[in-house]
Amino acid sequence: MTFQIPDKEQPWLTRFFSDNNVLKWNQIENETASSKWLDQIKPWLQFLEDPDWTYPVILPLLEVDGSQQWYAMANSEQQYAKLVEELNSFIGPSYSDFIGQRVPISDKNVIESALKERFGNYVFRFGPDPNNSKSESEIESLLNLYHAVLKRRPPQPDRTQRPFGKIRGDFDRALLAGNEPGATRLMEELIATGRINAEQHKCLEIRKLAGLGYQRELALNRSLIQSVMELDLPPQTLVDLIDALYQMSVIPVEKESDFAKIIEPFKKQVFKSYSLLFRARKGIRQPNILRAFLLYELSQSTPNRIRCESILSDYPETTEGYAIAKGWFDGYQWEIQQTPSPSELPDPTVVLKTNANQAYLDEDYTLAIELCGKAIPEDWAIKLLLRSAENQGLEEVIRSVLTQLEPFTVQLGKLPGKDLQRWEKFRAQTQSTESSEQELETPIIKGWIDWVTWVNKGGYSKEPLSMLATEVARWSVDDYCHQPDTCQKLAQILGNATSQEGEIFREAFPYLVEFFVERLEKPKRVFLPLYSVLIKLLALCDSVSADELELASTLTQSLLEVGPSKNDYEECVSDLSELLSGNPSLYHINWALNMAEILAVSSSPSPERRLVFFTHVTSLIQTNLHRITETQRKVLKLLCQDYNCLEWFNGLTRTSEPVIGEETLNFRGLIGIYTLTTQAGLRAKQILESMLPNAVIELNEDHAASDRLKNLANKADIFVFAWKCSKHQAYFCVKEARSPRNLSMAAGKGSASIVQSVLQEI
């Protein structure tokens, strides 16, 4: 052969040109096949010479009886979408039976199973028009023309080197949207930039597992955790790891009245193996992390009471879980610990220094300053005092520290470089407010208001998103749950930003959604202005990604659950209409149907505005009627009943060409569906029962790991888990019951997403 096929492509080619294909791979390699077929095949195989080939490949299957079929294969979703349009343009139904539909690929067929293993669902099969005797020769001629056009097409520019921050933002959006393939691809793109070292690669893998809801898999991945334990981990990675370990070891028994039943599994599964993760809390104040650190300290042979009290002081008392943590602390028998003899007592100065250093590492600077103040004029206390005051960044704290240090001016003058500079800077700052403002170019950021205010001022010396990525993991969403004025102020700043600041806030979108939506068990009414403004931020964009549309759906559902006013509702639905109008793509039909379903089953203070959105959905479907699937048609029919326009649907299907549809499948197994969105589950069941008449479909919406849920997960041939509306307890029990069988994770909450997940499994 005059060209070289990469080794990874050889296996599927060997199997494709075998079995009932008259053309054999050795005939093609040795060029002993007829020249007619070699001329057809070789040009397409030449595309495979490039290891990163970006063109489709179309190869013939020649049957013994002389009949012909062709298989068209794509290497990616983007390439697949182009291939559909281009095959329709070049060949289409004029000379073949191809009308853009996917075809069932058989696992039992040697040739088709080889293609499925290599290309997944990105495969088309088409044959000549049986009513046209010249169609075979026409197809051969048109395929030659198509190949010639592809060969002349200029190569697409390399887009792997997009700005690193843009890729990272898309990665975070994919995680929030539950888009596992997209997150995997974007992680590979981040690695391809060359800016990710081996340690950062592991942190990305941890973020991916945690972000997609795979806490159990992460907690059980001992080798991954141990490979990063000794590193100075960023706060977000520390949150991901400790939260995963806590979810697995403590959550199932957290509400036990017997403390021994709680702390024993923690000691066994976490304390003994992963103590290095608890060296420093780094100012993290998320509830699960605080409780995990408290349990870690109480697992010690001699718990540090000061550290335990520091953890509780950072825990908002109104937060769910505070009573549990306080009960652990109060229930510990501090008073009956064995009192050591005087000779065994540790040096008080050593204890003070140890506690002060630990407080500094935990970024509890208030406690560190208090402890250091008791040890002045020790050199270590002065140095740590200055560093803690600098990190806290409050003018009154700096003044207080300078007052404490005033009697030790001579000693301060002998401090080493950076510590001396800190002292001199503090003295300069206290002399005038003006000089203080000039010195603090990058203020201490303690929450969202600090960050957005700093961004609005402009002229910052540190990249805002980089600072946000570091700081946001430390903040507690519970600080905002009882501050409506703060939430309203934040929404106003985000909504009224200028173009430059608005672009930064747009890039901060995934951090805002993760903080105000994902961290909560259920939406809070106090965050309604933020849900609204985040949807508007998307609506104001020229175009948005599929992941951002999915996040718009999540935000809308949160807004609807807290009971919006008529004005809030109308503004939200108008923004959704703007989103759909600005992104009228075939690939967004499922999202549009899911969104229409969410609006249909939710209470509406403005039915007429809701109907306007549905008309946008129907317009999109009318434009793409020849391409919608049977699932989409059935969902559309149910929605037309909801919106009282069934006559429109009947007229549409009577006057239009038949839609592309999945055939009724002869599946006879048990299908389990877990979703907390009741109406979506019932609709999905209704649709599946019409498409799979021999299947048994059961729904479950238990909030905890019930026996009924475990039994369904264990017995089901296919189990779909709508994880974006799930409870962790339910996920863990389902995952355990399904092991090692597959668990289909439907990221969308609507019936279209659930049905699509089932059909993909079948």
Side-chain angles (χ1 to χ4, degrees):
M1 189 180 291
T2 57
F3 46 88
Q4 188 66 38
I5 302 293
D7 291 341
K8 71 175 184 177
E9 311 295 353
Q10 295 273 355
W12 71 266
L13 284 169
T14 303
R15 290 167 62 189
F16 181 85
F17 292 105
S18 68
D19 199 51
N20 62 314
N21 196 340
V22 172
L23 297 166
K24 306 302 180 185
W25 180 239
N26 64 335
Q27 294 177 323
I28 297 168
E29 280 189 309
N30 301 329
E31 301 191 21
T32 57
S34 69
S35 58
K36 171 191 173 182
W37 289 110
L38 285 175
D39 290 343
Q40 280 281 320
I41 295 167
K42 287 173 64 175
W44 294 101
L45 293 182
Q46 285 175 341
F47 283 156
L48 300 179
E49 288 184 302
D50 182 358
D52 301 316
W53 53 281
T54 57
Y55 297 114
V57 171
I58 303 176
L59 298 174
L61 168 64
L62 180 62
E63 302 275 6
V64 176
D65 61 4
S67 61
Q68 301 172 23
Q69 290 190 82
W70 285 266
Y71 286 86
M73 290 77 73
N75 215 12
S76 66
E77 182 70 37
Q78 183 181 15
Q79 192 183 101
Y80 162 78
K82 286 184 178 179
L83 180 59
V84 175
E85 296 179 2
E86 291 167 355
L87 278 181
N88 261 324
S89 300
F90 277 88
I91 301 172
S94 300
Y95 301 103
S96 74
D97 57 6
F98 179 77
I99 54 173
Q101 79 281 20
R102 291 183 191 265
V103 295
I105 300 297
S106 172
D107 290 325
K108 298 179 181 179
N109 183 295
V110 172
I111 290 172
E112 293 191 350
S113 65
L115 297 181
K116 187 173 183 179
E117 288 176 13
R118 172 62 180 84
F119 300 99
N121 290 325
Y122 305 145
V123 180
F124 294 113
R125 181 182 66 224
F126 60 93
D129 182 353
N131 300 317
N132 186 341
S133 59
K134 297 181 179 180
S135 59
E136 288 185 359
S137 59
E138 289 289 351
I139 289 176
E140 292 170 11
S141 175
L142 290 169
L143 286 178
N144 286 336
L145 176 61
Y146 180 34
H147 178 274
V149 171
L150 287 175
K151 197 169 182 180
R152 291 196 303 270
R153 179 184 289 169
Q156 292 183 338
D158 180 10
R159 302 191 185 278
T160 60
Q161 296 299 317
R162 293 190 297 147
F164 186 87
K166 294 281 187 183
I167 307 172
R168 180 56 202 259
D170 289 345
F171 174 72
D172 291 331
R173 288 173 176 83
L175 294 181
L176 287 169
N179 179 4
E180 184 171 355
T184 301
R185 175 179 54 79
L186 288 161
M187 191 170 82
E188 291 171 354
E189 189 176 356
L190 284 168
I191 295 166
T193 64
R195 293 179 56 182
I196 300 292
N197 59 31
E199 295 172 355
Q200 292 167 330
H201 185 178
K202 291 174 182 176
C203 291
L204 276 177
E205 183 65 32
I206 291 167
R207 180 83 281 269
K208 175 186 162 186
L209 289 170
L212 291 171
Y214 295 140
Q215 279 88 359
R216 183 176 180 83
E217 286 81 351
L218 177 55
L220 294 175
N221 195 335
R222 178 179 291 268
S223 60
L224 177 60
I225 300 176
Q226 289 182 336
S227 70
V228 300
M229 274 199 314
E230 297 184 6
L231 304 177
D232 182 17
L233 297 173
Q236 184 61 63
T237 305
L238 199 60
V239 168
D240 290 338
L241 288 174
I242 293 178
D243 182 61
L245 293 168
Y246 188 85
Q247 293 274 1
M248 183 187 72
S249 63
V250 180
I251 287 293
V253 296
E254 188 179 48
K255 295 183 180 179
E256 290 280 352
S257 57
D258 184 355
F259 183 61
K261 292 181 179 179
I262 299 171
I263 203 164
E264 284 308 316
F266 181 84
K267 286 182 177 180
K268 182 179 179 180
Q269 300 177 39
V270 181
F271 181 80
K272 291 181 179 179
S273 302
Y274 304 119
S275 291
L276 289 175
L277 292 175
F278 295 85
R279 287 172 307 202
R281 185 159 53 88
K282 298 191 172 185
I284 298 168
R285 299 175 57 241
Q286 297 185 32
N288 278 7
I289 310 306
L290 291 172
R291 296 202 297 280
F293 269 87
L294 181 60
L295 279 180
Y296 173 80
E297 201 57 48
L298 294 175
S299 298
Q300 305 279 358
S301 57
T302 306
N304 186 326
R305 183 163 186 160
I306 292 178
R307 195 182 190 198
C308 291
E309 290 172 342
S310 171
I311 291 168
L312 283 175
S313 69
D314 270 352
Y315 207 136
E317 294 186 16
T318 55
T319 304
E320 183 179 357
Y322 175 81
I324 293 174
K326 188 70 164 61
W328 294 344
F329 178 82
D330 292 342
Y332 188 82
Q333 297 178 336
W334 300 97
E335 68 283 353
I336 66 169
Q337 291 184 39
Q338 185 175 357
T339 304
S341 63
S343 61
E344 294 174 327
L345 287 172
D347 185 340
T349 304
V350 173
V351 173
L352 192 60
K353 183 177 180 180
T354 300
N355 287 335
N357 279 319
Q358 184 62 61
Y360 181 80
L361 290 172
D362 287 341
E363 298 188 18
D364 187 349
Y365 301 119
T366 300
L367 178 60
I369 289 170
E370 178 187 340
L371 297 174
C372 289
K374 298 176 181 179
I376 295 173
E378 294 285 341
D379 279 352
W380 67 263
I382 292 175
K383 294 174 184 177
L384 198 59
L385 186 64
L386 291 169
R387 294 171 191 172
S388 299
E390 181 181 49
N391 280 295
Q392 196 159 40
L394 299 175
E395 185 176 345
E396 61 270 23
V397 172
I398 292 173
R399 290 182 182 277
S400 173
V401 166
L402 288 178
T403 301
Q404 292 182 68
L405 296 178
E406 190 174 354
F408 311 104
T409 305
V410 176
Q411 187 176 346
L412 288 164
K414 298 178 181 179
L415 288 172
K418 288 188 177 180
D419 294 312
L420 179 60
Q421 290 173 15
R422 288 187 183 95
W423 176 55
E424 292 175 343
K425 183 177 77 170
F426 290 167
R427 293 177 66 190
Q429 285 179 13
T430 56
Q431 289 174 2
S432 72
T433 305
E434 182 180 353
S435 69
S436 174
E437 291 176 352
Q438 291 173 353
E439 290 288 346
L440 294 177
E441 291 181 359
T442 303
I444 304 300
I445 303 295
K446 292 194 173 291
W448 281 105
I449 296 295
D450 288 346
W451 184 77
V452 296
T453 303
W454 173 63
V455 170
N456 270 342
K457 286 182 178 178
Y460 27 77
S461 58
K462 187 172 181 179
E463 210 280 317
L465 289 171
S466 176
M467 170 176 276
L468 179 62
T470 301
E471 296 298 326
V472 71
R474 298 185 169 105
W475 305 338
S476 172
V477 67
D478 299 285
D479 290 342
Y480 298 82
C481 289
H482 303 283
Q483 297 185 26
D485 292 343
T486 300
C487 295
Q488 186 66 49
K489 180 180 178 181
L490 177 58
Q492 288 173 349
I493 295 174
L494 292 171
N496 297 322
T498 61
S499 58
Q500 182 178 353
E501 287 74 39
E503 182 61 29
I504 295 174
F505 296 154
R506 167 86 162 78
E507 292 302 317
F509 180 81
Y511 296 104
L512 287 156
V513 175
E514 190 276 334
F515 190 88
F516 289 106
V517 179
E518 295 298 313
R519 292 192 189 183
L520 297 170
E521 282 290 316
K522 58 182 180 180
K524 301 281 188 182
R525 184 170 179 80
V526 69
F527 296 150
L528 192 150
L530 290 165
Y531 301 149
S532 181
V533 78
L534 289 174
I535 297 170
K536 188 171 292 294
L537 285 179
L538 290 180
L540 293 174
C541 298
D542 293 333
S543 63
V544 297
S545 67
D547 291 334
E548 287 174 319
L549 286 176
E550 190 59 45
L551 296 182
S553 173
T554 299
L555 287 164
T556 301
Q557 192 141 355
S558 296
L559 183 143
L560 294 175
E561 285 183 28
V562 299
S565 66
K566 183 176 181 180
N567 287 340
D568 290 329
Y569 181 89
E570 289 184 341
E571 187 173 356
C572 170
V573 177
S574 294
D575 289 336
L576 293 173
S577 298
E578 189 69 29
L579 267 174
L580 188 56
S581 300
N583 299 271
S585 169
L586 167 69
Y587 301 105
H588 297 154
I589 287 179
N590 272 357
W591 175 83
L593 291 171
N594 284 337
M595 197 69 260
E597 184 175 64
I598 289 172
L599 294 176
V601 301
S602 302
S603 176
S604 172
S606 179
E608 62 278 4
R609 189 62 60 91
R610 179 176 64 180
L611 185 58
V612 170
F613 176 80
F614 188 60
T615 60
H616 284 68
V617 177
T618 57
S619 296
L620 176 62
I621 288 176
Q622 274 188 298
T623 305
N624 297 278
L625 190 60
H626 59 296
R627 295 187 184 277
I628 69 169
T629 65
E630 182 68 11
T631 300
Q632 292 166 342
R633 188 185 71 83
K634 289 179 180 293
V635 173
L636 178 62
K637 183 177 181 180
L638 289 175
L639 287 172
C640 285
Q641 292 174 331
D642 292 328
Y643 287 92
N644 198 25
C645 53
L646 190 57
E647 276 302 311
W648 172 86
F649 176 83
N650 293 333
L652 184 71
T653 52
R654 279 197 302 268
T655 60
S656 65
E657 297 179 2
V659 296
I660 300 166
E662 301 95 347
E663 297 178 357
T664 299
L665 301 174
N666 188 28
F667 179 80
R668 296 179 177 275
L670 171 62
I671 298 171
I673 298 172
Y674 178 87
T675 176
L676 296 183
T677 310
T678 305
Q679 288 298 322
L682 291 172
R683 289 164 181 268
K685 181 179 180 181
Q686 182 179 350
I687 293 169
L688 287 169
E689 285 175 341
S690 68
M691 301 181 71
L692 308 169
N694 298 316
V696 177
I697 295 107
E698 290 190 20
L699 303 178
N700 186 283
E701 53 184 44
D702 295 346
H703 287 234
S706 67
D707 291 337
R708 178 173 172 269
L709 177 58
K710 293 176 185 177
N711 187 53
L712 177 59
N714 182 48
K715 290 186 175 181
D717 298 286
I718 294 172
F719 196 95
V720 174
F721 193 87
W723 76 283
K724 292 298 286 186
C725 61
S726 73
K727 298 292 182 184
H728 285 299
Q729 297 94 321
Y731 170 72
F732 289 140
C733 94
V734 167
K735 188 66 177 176
E736 185 174 350
R738 293 294 295 171
S739 181
R741 293 167 296 166
N742 187 45
L743 174 62
S744 180
M745 305 285 276
K749 300 177 182 178
S751 57
S753 296
I754 295 171
V755 172
Q756 190 61 37
S757 294
V758 171
L759 296 180
Q760 284 175 350
E761 287 297 311
I762 293 175

